[in-house]
Amino acid sequence: RALLAHFGGVVVNMGRGAAGEGLLAPDDAFPVGNDLAGRFRAEAERTLAAWKAHGLEGEVDVGAGPMPASVAISVNLVDTSTHTWDLARATGQPEELPDDVAATALDVAGGFVPHVREVVGIDPPVPVPDDASPTAKLVAYMGRHP
């Protein structure tokens, strides 16, 4: 339940921040209840529309204070990609992300995760073979054991 609330809440507040709306308290942003898939889909679509409307210029506040929109959308991509894997693993669903999504998320993660890893509680990277999938490389970089 905590993962669902966090995962959904981050998506909600990323969209609210991109739209210039006030952020919601984490516990209020995505209360876990009925029709989780439908609610998440609706929030993800709203968030995507907000980013498309805002673009990558200027600043947004998505919960950590004002930051460049390009950094915030990078955080959004890495967080959503990583927690998609977490949720798939926890519920026994296929874990592989599309290769291009995982590779892009890993690339942008390298630009900010080293600066925030300890502050936000991201575990150290886990070693994986060179021929690991892009998803395995991403989640290992984010401290998960693929």
Side-chain angles (χ1 to χ4, degrees), residues 1 4-9 11-12 24 26-47:
R1 291 184 81 86
L4 290 172
H6 168 75
F7 183 31
V11 171
V12 168
L24 299 174
D27 292 340
D28 297 333
F30 195 84
V32 177
N34 295 331
D35 191 20
L36 290 172
R39 285 184 34 237
F40 186 82
R41 186 175 299 107
E43 290 298 338
E45 288 172 1
R46 188 184 64 75
T47 296

Side-chain angles (χ1 to χ4, degrees), residues 25 27-28 33 40-41 44 58 60 80 88 90-91 104 106 108 121-122 130 138 140 142:
D27 292 340
D28 297 333
F40 186 82
R41 186 175 299 107
V60 296
T80 300
T91 58
T104 299
L106 178 59
V108 300
I122 300 171
D130 289 342
L138 169 65
M142 298 302 291

Side-chain angles (χ1 to χ4, degrees), residues 110-128:
F112 72 89
V113 169
H115 307 290
V116 300
R117 185 177 295 279
E118 290 183 22
V119 175
V120 299
I122 300 171
D123 288 341
V126 172
V128 292

Side-chain angles (χ1 to χ4, degrees), residues 19-120:
E21 301 170 351
L23 304 180
L24 299 174
D27 292 340
D28 297 333
F30 195 84
V32 177
N34 295 331
D35 191 20
L36 290 172
R39 285 184 34 237
F40 186 82
R41 186 175 299 107
E43 290 298 338
E45 288 172 1
R46 188 184 64 75
T47 296
L48 183 57
W51 279 116
K52 284 180 178 179
H54 187 283
L56 299 178
E57 300 300 319
E59 290 190 337
V60 296
D61 183 353
V62 294
M67 67 179 68
S70 60
V71 172
I73 201 165
S74 295
V75 171
N76 194 168
L77 172 64
V78 172
D79 190 82
T80 300
S81 298
T82 304
H83 289 318
T84 295
W85 181 88
D86 291 334
L87 185 58
R89 162 106 4 141
T91 58
Q93 297 180 64
E95 299 170 1
E96 290 297 310
L97 301 168
D99 285 352
D100 59 337
V101 172
T104 299
L106 178 59
D107 184 50
V108 300
F112 72 89
V113 169
H115 307 290
V116 300
R117 185 177 295 279
E118 290 183 22
V119 175
V120 299

